[in-house]
Amino acid sequence: MLRPESMSQAKILFLNNDYELVLDALHRHGAFHLTVKEAEGLATSDLSYKVQDLIGRLRDILGRADLLALDTDAPAMHVPPSPISAPDWPSFVQMVDGEVASFEKQVQQLEAKSGKAGAAKSLYSLWSGLASSSGGRASLAYLNSFKTLSTVLLSSETGSPADLDGELPESSVSYPIEGSPRTLLILCLNSDKAKVLQVASEKGFSPLQSLDGVPPDPASLGGFISGYDSALKKDDISIKEAKACLLAIMPKMRHLSSVLSESYSVLSIKEKSSVEGRWSLIEGYVPTKQGGSLIGELNTRLNGR
């Protein structure tokens, strides 16, 4: 059950030289709510916007990396977070931007490679069934000898060869592929090929996409399919290695995401505090029952100043 929390307004006045100590105390306390308003004459800087953009980008990239790592059995590597040092805020943002860009490129390359391999495997399953099935009815070895006939290879994700029964031109003959139930071989007159493709499209079939490098001579298909299978296995090994590299760097990038969030909070406090001479003022709210602990934390860090 949710209960309202009594809040007290807090104004923290301190010397400019104690800025970092005050920020550290507020971070340690963890219950101070900064008043979200711009100091007079002061707008949110481009630096804050850049950090905020980096936070969003990195979260999105980490989400995509998580999806890529879902089906991998590579062990997760726990890398202890290391401190990030930079001489100033612009240098820090530039350094982190480079890290995020490099990580994003790594994820994009793996996404493209995984997507291409998945499509190739799906297509390979259709062609391997085609290569292994002749059944003495329509041997691939002599299909090229037909002069007045066309051969049409069709595939469908949802359709059934029975959907084409009675729909094709009378001169056409269809041969379901035994080793690949989603693939169909149609023999038809050259003049009927356009009609066959039209009917097939209406029933959810489309011409079977060719494998990269498939030989023009159907008699060579069997040997090509065997070699293609070996290439797919090599791709699987390469992708597995790339995923292991991705897993190794992800703890570092999660730590960087946390650092960015903390950095944005620090920048927000700095930009929304009032400064006059040697003094700075931060305004906000703190749960009433935690007001004493906030004062104690500040006194400890500032030695009572």
Side-chain angles (χ1 to χ4, degrees):
M1 179 177 179
L2 299 177
R3 296 178 181 273
E5 180 74 39
S6 176
M7 304 291 287
S8 297
Q9 186 178 22
K11 295 184 179 181
I12 306 172
L13 182 66
F14 54 94
L15 292 169
N16 293 338
N17 292 339
D18 291 331
Y19 222 120
E20 297 300 329
L21 293 176
V22 172
L23 294 180
D24 183 64
L26 294 178
H27 174 68
R28 289 174 179 272
H29 185 262
F32 181 79
H33 299 262
L34 179 70
T35 300
V36 183
K37 64 178 181 179
E38 305 295 349
E40 184 177 354
L42 184 65
T44 302
S45 71
D46 290 341
L47 204 57
S48 289
Y49 282 126
K50 181 64 175 177
V51 171
Q52 194 173 28
D53 176 68
L54 283 170
I55 291 172
R57 278 178 57 200
L58 186 51
R59 285 177 179 170
D60 173 70
I61 300 167
L62 282 168
R64 288 155 54 194
D66 283 334
L67 291 176
L68 287 170
L70 280 178
D71 59 347
T72 182
D73 55 0
M77 299 179 63
H78 299 285
V79 180
S82 56
I84 300 174
S85 60
D88 50 44
W89 282 106
S91 299
F92 166 78
V93 171
Q94 184 178 12
M95 179 186 66
V96 174
D97 191 24
E99 293 273 1
V100 172
S102 177
F103 182 50
E104 185 174 28
K105 182 179 180 180
Q106 186 177 351
V107 170
Q108 287 175 338
Q109 289 176 340
L110 185 52
E111 284 175 332
K113 198 168 187 178
S114 297
K116 184 178 180 181
K121 286 180 181 178
S122 178
L123 201 55
Y124 167 78
S125 68
L126 300 177
W127 278 93
S128 60
L130 179 64
S132 62
S133 62
S134 61
R137 297 177 300 173
S139 175
L140 292 173
Y142 64 80
L143 287 180
N144 280 349
S145 65
F146 294 119
K147 302 300 182 183
T148 60
L149 295 178
S150 291
T151 60
V152 181
L153 288 170
L154 302 172
S155 67
S156 174
E157 292 291 336
T158 58
S160 167
D163 296 338
L164 297 177
D165 290 349
E167 302 292 334
L168 296 172
E170 292 183 359
S171 59
S172 303
V173 181
S174 64
Y175 296 97
I177 306 300
E178 294 177 356
S180 185
R182 293 188 292 124
T183 311
L184 190 66
L185 173 66
I186 306 291
L187 296 179
C188 64
L189 293 173
N190 292 334
S191 58
D192 289 335
K193 184 175 181 179
K195 177 63 176 178
V196 168
L197 291 174
Q198 178 185 346
V199 172
S201 177
E202 293 172 353
K203 297 298 181 179
F205 283 82
S206 58
L208 180 61
Q209 183 181 348
S210 177
L211 286 172
D212 290 338
V214 66
D217 180 12
S220 305
L221 185 58
F224 170 78
I225 290 295
S226 178
Y228 200 87
D229 181 46
S230 299
L232 287 178
K233 290 177 179 177
K234 289 182 180 179
D235 285 343
D236 282 342
I237 294 174
S238 175
I239 290 172
K240 185 176 181 179
E241 292 173 348
K243 287 184 176 181
C245 292
L246 189 67
L247 283 173
I249 197 176
M250 282 176 67
K252 174 185 176 181
M253 303 313 297
R254 293 191 192 283
H255 173 63
L256 195 59
S257 178
S258 176
V259 170
L260 279 172
S261 296
E262 293 178 359
S263 299
Y264 182 71
S265 297
V266 171
L267 282 172
S268 297
I269 292 175
K270 282 190 171 183
E271 292 172 358
K272 292 177 174 63
S273 63
S274 302
V275 180
E276 184 174 349
R278 299 171 55 226
W279 297 91
S280 295
L281 175 66
I282 291 178
E283 298 182 48
Y285 290 87
V286 65
T288 301
K289 63 184 180 182
Q290 296 188 39
S293 62
L294 174 60
I295 294 173
E297 186 71 42
L298 288 167
N299 283 333
T300 299
R301 296 297 294 159
L302 300 176
N303 294 322
R305 291 192 297 276

